[in-house]
């Protein structure tokens, strides 16, 4: 006769990739499987006894979780919520979850079985794709506008020069000079809006080399008023990239950080402005719909006041600026260059910690667009 294998069901449940949570009839946590511990980043020991409502009921949510859970307990009716915002250890995440009543055989001791599926990664991917598409549309629009602005400028400049020569009274030359210098300013702006016309020229680059160039430029410019810290992973491989364009990307982002730190001096009362340049390997990341097993990540971090809240979502769009003298083109140009390298830039910012992360794939990135 065939030998019967006995299964330890606890072992089975702990090896599931689905996060599972059990709550008792008072809605207190009773058990979490290993996947749930990993998802919440909390041990069973710490979580048990806590009310499940602390996790499942978000304060801004009009859905009454208490009502729904007690309804399942009393009626046995299961329910599922999609894209619910839950909060564990002050960390918000989006999950799909379903709730089932477990009949333990003892009438007064039913349990609730809650199965959770995190969807943040999915939300993030679609957000990134949207961002890249919107960004490309905005860039085309801006190039179109820049072109139209630039066209008549040559004519205006030429005509003004002719006019200046035909004027007998030199006091009017002041006005023609103003027209010419303003036309030149507008032409420079339109050139920046159009972006580089040169095709990128790819070569093997160790990203620490352009990064060090930018560091010494910034150090000279700020004359030690800003502390610059380096944290490099020197084992990173070289990438096929346009070295000058990478310098432009790093410089634009570092310049923003320096401006944020030096133009808001009141912010630094007790601490020194600090710029951190960090390089690392980033595993498993999706960029514009392509999953990369590992890419280079360059973090440019400052301890300034942070990106103003009202522009944080649109900070990579052209003409979005939080500075009186800014044109709002620096980040848009930088993001565009990174897209050409099949990479991207992400930003996370709170007062005291703003990080711009550049992601640069090293596999096959030379067939860049
Ligand atoms: N490190 C940072 N800290 C705080 N705010 C930032 C930081 N980086 C960018 N920003 C905000 O994002 C805005 C957009 O930056 P972006 O480089 O695109 O344009 P700009 O710096 O205003 O102008 P430009 O770079 O064209 O001269 C900035 O005006 C600033 O408000
Ligand atoms: Mg800028």
């Amino acid at each position: 006769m065939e030998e019967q294998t006995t299964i330890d069901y606890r072992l089975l449940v702990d090896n599931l990739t689905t996060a599972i949570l059990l709550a008792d009839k008072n809605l207190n946590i009773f058990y979490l499987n290993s996947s749930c511990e990993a998802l919440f980043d909390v041990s069973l020991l710490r979580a048990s006894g806590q009310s499940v409502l602390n996790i499942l009921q978000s304060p801004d949510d009009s859905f009454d979780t208490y009502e729904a859970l007690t309804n399942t307990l009393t009626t046995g009716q299961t329910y599922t919520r999609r894209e619910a915002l839950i909060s564990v250890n002050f960390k918000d995440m989006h999950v799909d979850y379903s709730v089932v009543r477990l009949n333990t055989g003892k009438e007064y001791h039913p349990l609730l079985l809650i199965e959770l599926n995190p969807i943040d990664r999915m939300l993030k991917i679609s957000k990134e794709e949207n961002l890249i598409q919107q960004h490309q549309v905005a860039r085309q629009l801006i190039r179109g506008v820049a072109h139209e602005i630039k066209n008549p400028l040559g004519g205006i400049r030429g005509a003004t020069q002719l006019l200046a020569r035909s004027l007998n009274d030199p006091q009017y030359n002041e006005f023609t000079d103003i027209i010419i210098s303003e036309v030149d300013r507008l032409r420079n702006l339109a050139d920046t809006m159009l972006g580089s016309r040169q095709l990128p020229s790819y070569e093997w680059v160790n990203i620490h080399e352009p990064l060090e160039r930018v560091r010494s430029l910034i150090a000279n410019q700020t004359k030690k008023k800003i502390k610059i810290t380096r944290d490099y992973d020197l084992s990173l491989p070289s990438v096929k990239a346009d070295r000058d364009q990478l310098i432009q990307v790093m410089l634009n982002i570092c310049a923003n950080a320096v401006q944020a730190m030096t133009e808001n001096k009141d912010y630094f009362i007790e601490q020194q402005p600090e710029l951190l340049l960090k390089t690392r390997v980033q595993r498993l990341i999706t960029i514009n719909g392509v999953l990369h097993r590992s890419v280079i990540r360059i973090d440019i971090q400052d301890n300034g006041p942070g990106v103003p809240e009202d522009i944080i979502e649109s900070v990579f769009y052209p003409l979005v600026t939080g500075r009186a003298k800014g044109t709002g083109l620096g980040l848009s140009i930088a993001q565009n260059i990174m897209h050409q390298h099949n990479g991207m830039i992400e930003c996370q910012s709170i007062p005291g910690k703003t990080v711009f992360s550049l992601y640069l794939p090293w596999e096959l990135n030379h067939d860049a667009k």
Side-chain angles (χ1 to χ4, degrees), residues 121 125 128-129 284-292 344:
R121 187 68 209 136
I125 289 171
E128 278 157 13
E129 277 171 8
L284 289 181
I285 183 160
T286 306
I287 304 173
N288 201 11
V290 180
L291 177 68
H292 295 269
M344 70 166 172

Side-chain angles (χ1 to χ4, degrees), residues 110-310:
L111 294 174
L112 286 179
L113 168 69
I114 303 170
E115 258 181 87
L116 303 111
N117 271 314
I119 52 168
D120 270 321
R121 187 68 209 136
M122 265 153 61
L123 278 182
K124 203 161 167 229
I125 289 171
S126 60
K127 204 172 152 200
E128 278 157 13
E129 277 171 8
N130 270 344
L131 200 79
I132 289 174
Q133 274 169 13
Q134 283 173 12
H135 185 263
Q136 275 165 356
V137 172
R139 277 248 17 113
Q140 275 166 9
L141 193 76
I142 227 75
R143 285 177 71 92
V145 173
H147 222 82
E148 288 308 305
I149 293 175
K150 225 183 134 180
N151 275 342
L153 290 182
I156 297 176
R157 196 178 199 282
T160 314
Q161 277 171 330
L162 287 176
L163 186 67
R165 265 183 244 148
S166 64
L167 289 173
N168 296 324
D169 190 342
Q171 68 163 329
Y172 293 120
N173 283 26
E174 190 190 328
F175 301 125
T176 49
D177 286 350
I178 291 176
I179 299 177
I180 290 175
S181 74
E182 289 300 291
V183 162
D184 288 346
R185 203 168 65 84
L186 211 50
R187 197 182 50 194
N188 286 339
L189 176 67
D191 278 339
T192 323
M193 284 161 82
L194 281 167
S196 165
R197 260 160 300 164
Q198 275 178 359
L199 282 174
S201 77
Y202 294 103
E203 55 186 319
W204 287 107
V205 182
N206 175 344
I207 49 111
H208 296 107
E209 195 260 318
L211 197 54
E212 277 294 284
R213 260 294 288 286
V214 171
R215 186 189 64 87
S216 68
L217 276 172
I218 296 285
N220 278 330
Q221 214 180 59
T222 57
K223 301 202 178 60
K224 302 212 170 101
K225 274 184 240 144
I226 290 177
K227 185 176 163 202
I228 306 182
T229 312
R230 288 174 285 178
D231 178 2
Y232 295 164
D233 176 352
L234 293 174
S235 68
L236 292 179
S238 294
V239 282
K240 270 243 162 150
D242 184 310
R243 187 176 158 278
D244 291 342
Q245 289 195 339
L246 283 189
I247 291 181
Q248 193 185 358
V249 170
M250 295 167 184
L251 203 55
N252 285 3
I253 292 175
C254 287
N256 283 346
V258 168
Q259 281 154 1
M261 291 190 286
T262 51
E263 288 171 8
N264 295 284
K265 289 203 183 73
D266 299 347
Y267 185 79
F268 293 98
I269 296 169
E270 278 164 15
Q271 51 173 346
Q272 199 195 355
E274 183 176 352
L275 186 69
L276 169 68
L277 307 174
K278 188 163 119 183
T279 59
R280 287 288 182 273
V281 169
Q282 168 77 44
R283 307 220 174 268
L284 289 181
I285 183 160
T286 306
I287 304 173
N288 201 11
V290 180
L291 177 68
H292 295 269
R293 264 182 304 150
S294 57
V295 303
I296 288 177
R297 190 179 93 219
I298 306 161
D299 283 348
I300 298 176
Q301 180 179 328
D302 70 76
N303 60 349
V307 178
E309 229 172 87
D310 54 333

Side-chain angles (χ1 to χ4, degrees), residues 256-257 260 302 306-308 311 315 320-323 326-331 354 356:
N256 283 346
D302 70 76
V307 178
I311 60 167
V315 79
V320 171
T321 180
R323 299 191 300 119
T327 53
L329 290 175
L331 286 178
T354 298
F356 280 84

